Amino acid sequence: MKKILPIVLFFTVLGSIASAQKVRVNAYTAYVFDDKIDSYYDANSYYEGTIKGGFQWGVGLEYMLDRTKGIELKYLRQDTKAPMTYYREGVKEKTFDVAVNYILLGGSNYFETSSGKFEPYLGFGLGCAIIDVSNPDGGSGSSTKFAWDIKGGSNIWLNEKIGIKLQVELLSAVQSAGGGLYFGTGGASAGLSSYSSMLQFGMGGGLVFKMGN
């Protein structure tokens, strides 16, 4: 019962906020492309590999300050694989399960058009990336790092309430690999003091809903 109450409270508050006329709910889907990462300490302590591309989904709650400017809190998630080559008592290769979660607060600037049907925009966000690494043979690791994004696209309004979203986005988890997040035999490798930032380019879209009357 104690676990259910916070969930009920969250959706109650969300519903109250979403009833305001200046609030939009954004549903995101995208394909993010591969990104290579590596971390070297010395010849006997390193790893290199790829965070594989794949499907990413998310949701955002956006408050419109006026007709052309909005502030949004959004959550994005990707579940993927990371094939790695690393050194730990010899050169090894293994594929890890990786979950990448972004929580970002940002702003968007919209550009009005004569028809009103198309609503181009540019935006940026700052926040954190929570990255979980799981070794299929046992062991796991997790790291929370500073993250940012820049985006551009357009809403295409089907009517006064619902629109289609087309978007490209660049996401980065700064110094996300190395230090607190390792790849290795048991989910964690020997300590590495060097870092590798993750950079993901995504293309996709989604839906946008204007709430309230």
Side-chain angles (χ1 to χ4, degrees):
M1 186 66 180
K2 291 183 179 180
K3 294 181 179 180
I4 296 175
L5 286 176
I7 298 174
V8 174
L9 180 62
F10 172 79
F11 281 106
T12 300
V13 173
L14 182 63
S16 299
I17 295 174
S19 65
Q21 294 183 13
K22 293 185 177 182
V23 170
R24 298 178 179 182
V25 175
N26 298 309
Y28 294 101
T29 60
Y31 181 88
V32 292
F33 294 86
D34 294 357
D35 180 52
K36 292 184 178 180
I37 63 170
D38 58 71
S39 186
Y40 285 86
Y41 182 65
D42 56 39
N44 296 316
S45 184
Y46 70 87
Y47 64 78
E48 59 183 4
T50 301
I51 304 295
K52 301 296 288 183
F55 176 73
Q56 182 188 71
W57 61 271
V59 63
L61 191 65
E62 184 175 18
Y63 180 79
M64 299 300 295
L65 299 173
D66 54 37
R67 294 178 63 181
T68 63
K69 292 177 176 58
I71 297 176
E72 180 185 29
L73 177 64
K74 69 179 177 182
Y75 168 78
L76 301 173
R77 181 180 176 93
Q78 179 199 7
D79 293 285
T80 186
K81 303 285 186 180
M84 292 286 165
T85 299
Y86 60 95
Y87 186 94
R88 188 176 186 183
E89 299 176 352
V91 177
K92 303 180 186 295
E93 293 184 351
K94 188 176 291 291
T95 298
F96 297 85
D97 296 317
V98 179
V100 185
N101 304 272
Y102 290 99
I103 302 173
L104 299 163
L105 178 65
S108 295
N109 187 80
Y110 294 90
F111 303 92
E112 294 182 302
T113 60
S114 57
S115 67
K117 180 178 180 180
F118 295 94
E119 189 181 42
Y121 62 86
L122 295 172
F124 72 96
L126 301 173
C128 67
I130 304 169
I131 307 169
D132 299 315
V133 177
S134 177
N135 187 334
D137 297 332
S140 62
S142 181
S143 181
T144 300
K145 296 292 182 178
F146 171 73
W148 57 264
D149 80 320
I150 55 175
K151 62 184 180 181
S154 180
N155 295 326
I156 304 172
W157 292 101
L158 303 177
N159 54 46
E160 293 184 355
K161 294 293 186 180
I162 301 174
I164 297 173
K165 182 181 291 292
L166 301 178
Q167 178 175 285
V168 294
E169 185 173 28
L170 187 64
L171 290 151
S172 179
V174 179
Q175 293 189 337
S176 54
L181 182 64
Y182 305 129
F183 295 88
T185 312
S189 182
L192 298 177
S193 60
S194 58
Y195 294 85
S196 180
S197 295
M198 188 169 65
L199 195 64
Q200 294 184 296
F201 176 72
M203 298 179 64
L207 296 173
V208 53
F209 304 91
K210 289 182 180 179
M211 310 305 293
N213 298 322

